[in-house]
Amino acid sequence: MDRNSASVNYVDFRLSAGDIQAVRFGVSPGHELAHAVRLLLRPEQHPLQWGWLRDARDRLPRDAFALLSTVIGDDGYLPDFLTTTPRWDLTPEAEAAALGKAAIAGMRIDLDKMILRSTGQRQQRLRAMRAEPAVARARIADAWEQVWDCALAPVWRQLERILRADIAVRSRAVATDGLAAMAAELHSKVSWSDSAVRVELRKHREQVDCRGSGLVLVPSVMSSWGCMVLTEPPAQPTLFYPARGVTAEWARDPASTADALAALLGPARAAILLTADTARTTSQVAIDTDIAVSTASHHLSVLRTSGLIASERSANRMLHTRTPLGEAMIGAAL
């Protein structure tokens, strides 16, 4: 996976003009962690992350961070084996488990690429990993979990809300305005050209036929500088782009977000909306927010009328979850 460098080129992800089903969205905890490491290595270049950086750098496990820094580097090529295929429901735990089982052959290829792109002590360390890839994989997976627990786990709830709010807005745009219009709004370096999602890069040029495999679009909070792509099999063709709505306050305490929403919606409705990321019955909503069932039913009705909550019947139960508009509202409050 390469970020932008040197001259302008294009990667075209070729799709059928009306093929909405070929495009799906996902989240990637591994991508966020990799770029969190790069942010910590070059904090001066990322002012929007300083609020998070101030707290995260004091919690870092030194040896684990040093190992990940060697593997990831502060710029350029990012090894593919660090991430699995992004999915809507991909959890940090599943990402870490996939890393622990990453294919050795793929690791060797990625390590070879990094060795060619590095010098000095970093290159020596990478060569040592290349000589014993199974040992290296176990150490990297352990370091991944240690750094995750200290750097991103404390803010994952806030970060994930931004990602899901972005996906909700983009999905709605596909349905209302079409695939071409949505793609053109992803980033200034992304456009729709001749039935293809075109990404402007400074180094990599490629035509990727996604008509059989589809394209995964992945918003990112940590890689806010621009876009990255995954094109090499067996990886799913993937475009990472900066999530919308990332401000210097994104990592603030969840209580501050609840206060902001409470001022707008009222405390009870804000609490219901904030906890509506998974489907729940009216009784479960009442228990989770410590209110009467009749009161929960009233608030859910108001939120549903406002388009913030969707209610669907499953057997003899009515289940309530956030709508794309609800996701977007939470994202805006972060």
Side-chain angles (χ1 to χ4, degrees), residues 201-286:
L201 301 174
R202 287 180 292 173
K203 187 174 182 180
H204 189 57
R205 178 190 297 268
E206 188 175 356
Q207 296 284 323
V208 184
D209 189 348
C210 299
R211 287 171 291 187
S213 59
L215 173 64
V216 186
L217 300 176
V218 185
S220 176
V221 170
M222 289 296 177
S223 58
S224 57
W225 49 263
C227 299
M228 296 184 72
V229 301
L230 266 175
T231 63
E232 295 184 19
Q236 180 90 17
T238 304
L239 167 59
F240 298 91
Y241 64 91
R244 62 194 300 164
V246 179
T247 70
E249 299 296 317
W250 77 263
R252 66 181 177 178
D253 190 279
S256 299
T257 303
D259 290 343
L261 283 175
L264 178 65
L265 301 174
R269 290 171 192 166
I272 291 171
L273 189 62
L274 280 168
T275 55
D277 52 323
T278 57
R280 297 173 300 166
T281 64
T282 304
S283 296
Q284 289 171 325
V285 169

Side-chain angles (χ1 to χ4, degrees), residues 30-94:
H31 182 83
E32 296 303 304
L33 183 62
H35 285 280
V37 169
R38 289 184 168 179
L39 289 171
L40 288 158
L41 292 171
R42 289 188 171 185
E44 71 282 354
Q45 297 183 5
H46 305 281
L48 285 181
Q49 307 294 351
W50 286 350
W52 166 77
L53 280 161
R54 279 193 297 270
D55 293 331
R57 62 187 175 191
D58 294 331
R59 298 191 296 259
L60 289 175
R62 184 172 180 177
D63 292 342
F65 180 74
L67 177 59
L68 285 193
S69 299
T70 297
V71 175
I72 293 168
D74 61 3
D75 197 7
Y77 177 76
L78 184 63
D80 296 345
F81 74 85
L82 288 173
T83 60
T84 190
T85 301
R87 302 189 309 271
W88 169 260
D89 59 350
L90 182 61
T91 64
E93 294 77 16

Side-chain angles (χ1 to χ4, degrees), residues 17 20 62 92 115 128 148 156 177 181 227 233 246 255 265 267 269 314-315 333:
I20 295 177
R62 184 172 180 177
I115 288 168
W148 176 273
W156 178 242
D177 303 324
C227 299
V246 179
L265 301 174
R269 290 171 192 166
S314 175

Side-chain angles (χ1 to χ4, degrees), residues 3-10 200-205:
R3 68 164 290 174
N4 311 351
S5 61
S7 59
V8 175
N9 292 284
Y10 296 101
E200 180 183 327
L201 301 174
R202 287 180 292 173
K203 187 174 182 180
H204 189 57
R205 178 190 297 268

